[in-house]
């Protein structure tokens, strides 16, 4: 049943946008009752969060042999998570997550925490290689690599054509900042 | 009347959040009829956009004598526009702007276009000083300097304590990227 709900959520968003996503529409599309959905999720926002963000499989990128190469792979992976739900859906979901403290806490403890752990792994590889001296605050690295892509796609709405060049640029500037030890240190 | 509506919008958001902002609540607070508001704005979203974004006075920062100094001043100014409406309001407003193509076009042709023009002026000063060789795409500069602050405050919800250090870091990395001519060129 979970798979049919997940598919229904994606299909309804694809056809009607995030604004058109309702539990009614998802129930009808999935061929289940609304009660069946509410037994699993307490709200439309919980359902959407679970389908689009919580169950995303985030893994560390393979070791490319350099910090800059690892960052390109990691930023490509983060960008894919921004592109796949669609910019309108992501901004709507972000607004809902921000409006609900419980959802926001879960967003942080699941989705964002996994990304921070992956960032720490990529930086630790660079420390082992001797490319980076000190372990920086992973949230600052997160802001540096996620931010320009989020701004480009979601705030400025510039589309995907310029994304590969932007990823290369952001990987270069972030790798330089890490190599030059410009970031605040991780709190122990 | 416009001033009383603008004040009422800010007060209602301050008390009830963006989710609690309605034309009814604004009319009651401003002491005007709903009809008076709808004569001026076609929707709640139009009203909020006009009050929080369109009428913001954006000016070029004073010349500090260096690209990095000008970027610090510019990023401080952009960050103030992110902080003042509140993170919840900004994510709600962004979702509404994304959901309405007319509003999105006006967001781009007013608010974002002014920021791009200011970025171009700051970069042109650096070109005159001999710090930068070629004029880059201002939208890429915009993504580089807006993105990390937007991510920190709105997506990652990290609060303002770390913001001054992040502004210094982003100004350094963006100035380096511009000085090293790493960005794609402006389209003529």
């Amino acid at each position: 049943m979970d798979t049919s709900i997940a598919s229904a959520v994606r299909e309804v968003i694809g056809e009607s946008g995030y604004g058109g996503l309702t539990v009614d529409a998802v129930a009808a599309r999935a061929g289940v009752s609304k009660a069946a959905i509410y037994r699993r999720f307490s709200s439309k926002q919980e359902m959407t969060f679970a389908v689009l963000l919580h169950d995303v499989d985030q893994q560390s990128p393979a070791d490319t042999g350099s910090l800059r190469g690892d960052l390109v792979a990691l930023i490509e992976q983060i960008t894919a998570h921004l592109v796949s739900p669609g910019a309108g859906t992501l901004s709507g979901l972000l607004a809902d997550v921000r409006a609900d403290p419980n959802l926001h806490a879960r967003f942080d403890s699941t989705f964002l925490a996994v990304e921070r752990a992956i960032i720490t792994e990529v930086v630790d590889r660079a420390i082992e290689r001797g490319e980076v001296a000190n372990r920086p605050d992973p949230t600052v690295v997160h802001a540096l690599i996620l931010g320009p892509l989020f701004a480009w796609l979601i705030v400025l709405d510039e589309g995907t054509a310029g994304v590969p060049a932007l990823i290369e640029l952001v990987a270069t500037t972030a790798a330089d900042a890490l190599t030059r030890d410009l970031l605040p240190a991780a709190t122990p």
Side-chain angles (χ1 to χ4, degrees), chain A residues 18-148:
Chain A
Y18 187 69
L21 183 71
T22 61
V23 170
D24 275 315
V26 170
R29 177 66 58 109
V32 302
S33 65
K34 281 176 67 174
I37 292 180
Y38 282 119
R39 271 197 298 276
R40 180 86 172 78
F41 307 106
S42 66
S43 66
K44 165 193 151 177
Q45 286 76 19
E46 287 274 349
M47 174 185 72
T48 315
F49 174 80
V51 170
L52 296 183
L53 291 179
H54 185 262
D55 289 347
V56 168
D57 185 27
Q58 300 195 92
Q59 309 263 350
S60 298
D63 191 337
T64 64
S66 76
L67 172 60
R68 189 183 174 287
D70 282 5
L71 286 175
V72 168
L74 176 55
I75 302 169
E76 284 174 346
Q77 187 173 308
I78 289 174
T79 303
H81 295 152
L82 295 179
V83 170
S84 71
T89 299
L90 204 71
S91 54
L93 188 56
L94 178 65
D96 283 343
V97 165
R98 291 302 311 241
D100 178 341
N102 289 326
L103 209 51
H104 193 276
R106 288 234 317 276
F107 175 60
D108 188 72
S109 66
T110 56
F111 194 80
L112 296 181
V114 173
E115 291 198 339
R116 282 193 295 271
I118 293 174
I119 287 167
T120 299
E121 186 182 329
V122 162
V123 172
D124 282 351
R125 287 182 200 159
I127 292 173
E128 280 168 36
R129 285 187 208 105
E131 293 178 283
V132 171
N134 298 301
R135 184 189 272 184
D137 181 344
T139 309
V140 174
V141 182
H142 205 174
L144 276 188
I145 65 178
L146 163 68

